[in-house]
Amino acid sequence: MPRLRSLIQLVPTWEPGAIGTHVLAVHETLTAAGIAASVVADDIRTGLAPIATTARALLDDPRPRADTVLLYHAAMGTPMGDELLTRSEPLVLAHHNVTPPAFFDAWEPGLAENLEVGERQVVRLARRAVLGIGDSTFNAAELSAYGCARTAVVPVFFDVGRTPDVATLAALRSGGAGHDWLFVSRVAPNKCVHDLVGAFAAYRRVYEPTARLWVVGSTSMVGYVAALRRLADRLGVGDAVTFTGAVDDGVLAAHYAAAGVFVCCSEHEGFGVPLVEAMAAGLPVIAYRAGAVGETVGDAGVLLDSKRPVVVAATAARVLRDAPLRERLVAAGRRRVERFDRASTAAKLVEELLPVLQVA
């Protein structure tokens, strides 16, 4: 039987969030499969299992680690990305997709510059990698275009088993007289929350003046969030649009449980974990067909080819008013979620990694 190399996952920051949750699940999957696995990071924060150690012990030593494969999670420009270009160990590149810098030019030029660096790093790392793993075929196709020798598609690991916070759920259900729209994400220009606010304003004006919009996720991009608040006020829905900021799992689950529809106008998604979370919670999904959104949602949601406010608003009105349609979407969503269950994703990950890990 072939001997297996060990695997070290490298992530710039070890912290709660989509990538942190995924890295932890990868570690648990490899360990359960009998593969010697570890996680290293340059910035180690609290909130996840304390399994990560400093990446400096590896990266500051130029000598190659014998019988070791490195797996790097790329999402933006990092010093770690440049350092890996000088290593000689077999490299697996996990491509979580770098958001196109143009989305941030007007809002955070510094971040746009970082993303430009990240794009260049991914291109160079793809050419060096023995395997490129995309969260979606959208991501894997980018790696192939960059010259990656072999690519595979392995979905993101995520947790859909959250329990709603009782107090939050009760407050949400008792505090409104109409349906709630929900969108979950960090609030950033590529997520096109401005289009979402415009569509919601049209919905309130034409269909349901008591509806509310909840945008749940980090509001650290202060300038963009301030502009969104001004937009909501100008459109007359400032009192009906709430930006919650980052919330814990229980509060997030309460929002999924209380909402009437999940609406996404994002123009760039490498996978779209909240889309699957919404379907798992029994929430009908309406989403603009961009990036990997179409392949993530499949036939389990309403995919739009236009973000015109009247189109999005009319679609939401139909989904909320047509009970048989809503029931079909909810049922299809639950079936769709089964395609991304943890056991299937774990088996696919191990299957793709074994040829790299095996020593003849």
Side-chain angles (χ1 to χ4, degrees):
M1 182 175 179
R3 180 166 51 87
L4 295 180
R5 298 181 175 96
S6 62
L7 184 142
I8 301 175
Q9 291 190 84
L10 296 102
V11 59
T13 303
W14 180 245
E15 63 179 346
I19 292 181
T21 299
H22 176 71
V23 172
L24 178 58
V26 170
H27 177 78
E28 292 171 346
T29 296
L30 297 178
T31 301
I35 298 165
S38 58
V39 177
V40 300
D42 274 332
D43 184 5
I44 300 174
R45 304 178 187 177
T46 59
L48 285 173
I51 61 171
T53 59
T54 177
R56 291 301 101 202
L58 168 67
L59 296 178
D60 288 348
D61 184 350
R63 294 172 297 179
R65 294 285 183 95
D67 287 341
T68 301
V69 172
L70 307 180
L71 192 165
Y72 175 58
H73 295 269
M76 60 192 309
T78 66
M80 181 181 284
D82 282 337
E83 290 175 287
L84 285 171
L85 289 167
T86 68
R87 305 291 305 188
S88 60
E89 296 93 342
L91 173 69
V92 176
L93 178 61
H95 183 35
H96 299 287
N97 212 287
V98 178
T99 305
F103 283 109
F104 298 91
D105 283 339
W107 301 101
E108 289 199 8
L111 177 56
E113 290 179 7
N114 172 275
L115 293 171
E116 289 177 1
V117 171
E119 285 184 333
R120 291 194 295 270
Q121 285 179 343
V122 168
V123 171
R124 296 174 67 193
L125 289 166
R127 293 168 181 167
R128 139 120 170 75
V130 296
L131 172 65
I133 297 178
D135 304 329
S136 58
T137 57
F138 175 74
N139 287 355
E142 283 195 351
L143 293 178
S144 294
Y146 297 153
C148 192
R150 182 168 78 89
T151 63
V153 177
V154 180
V156 179
F157 285 99
F158 48 85
D159 178 16
V160 295
R162 304 180 181 95
T163 301
D165 178 78
V166 175
T168 302
L169 183 57
L172 289 169
R173 286 178 170 169
S174 64
H179 289 102
D180 284 353
W181 285 29
L182 176 65
F183 179 58
V184 176
S185 172
R186 61 187 177 87
V187 183
N190 63 299
K191 306 295 182 177
C192 297
V193 183
H194 48 282
D195 290 326
L196 178 64
V197 171
F200 174 72
Y203 177 82
R204 283 253 303 189
R205 186 166 55 250
V206 176
Y207 300 103
E208 192 178 2
T210 56
R212 301 180 298 183
L213 168 62
W214 298 88
V215 180
V216 179
S218 169
T219 53
S220 60
M221 192 165 290
V222 177
Y224 182 61
V225 173
L228 292 172
R229 295 186 192 280
R230 292 194 297 271
L231 174 63
D233 288 340
R234 189 166 69 250
L235 295 175
V237 295
D239 61 339
V241 178
T242 301
F243 299 93
T244 68
V247 300
D248 63 28
D249 284 351
V251 172
L252 175 59
H255 277 282
Y256 279 125
V261 63
F262 186 93
V263 184
C264 172
C265 292
S266 176
E267 289 186 2
H268 187 266
E269 296 292 334
F271 181 80
V273 168
L275 296 166
V276 185
E277 291 176 338
M279 291 187 286
L283 194 56
V285 169
I286 299 169
Y288 180 59
R289 194 194 309 267
V293 169
E295 68 175 285
T296 300
V297 174
D299 61 356
V302 181
L303 295 171
L304 301 177
D305 294 312
S306 170
K307 289 194 291 180
R308 291 177 57 210
V310 294
V311 172
V312 180
T315 304
R318 185 182 173 197
V319 168
L320 289 167
R321 293 177 176 184
D322 186 336
L325 171 61
R326 181 185 178 87
E327 290 172 4
R328 288 197 300 273
L329 289 173
V330 169
R334 293 196 188 280
R335 291 193 299 271
R336 185 69 178 171
V337 171
E338 294 175 359
R339 297 172 60 95
F340 304 113
D341 73 279
R342 179 162 179 151
S344 298
T345 300
K348 179 65 172 174
L349 176 67
V350 172
E351 175 189 344
E352 297 295 346
L353 285 176
L354 275 179
V356 178
L357 293 170
Q358 289 175 341
V359 179

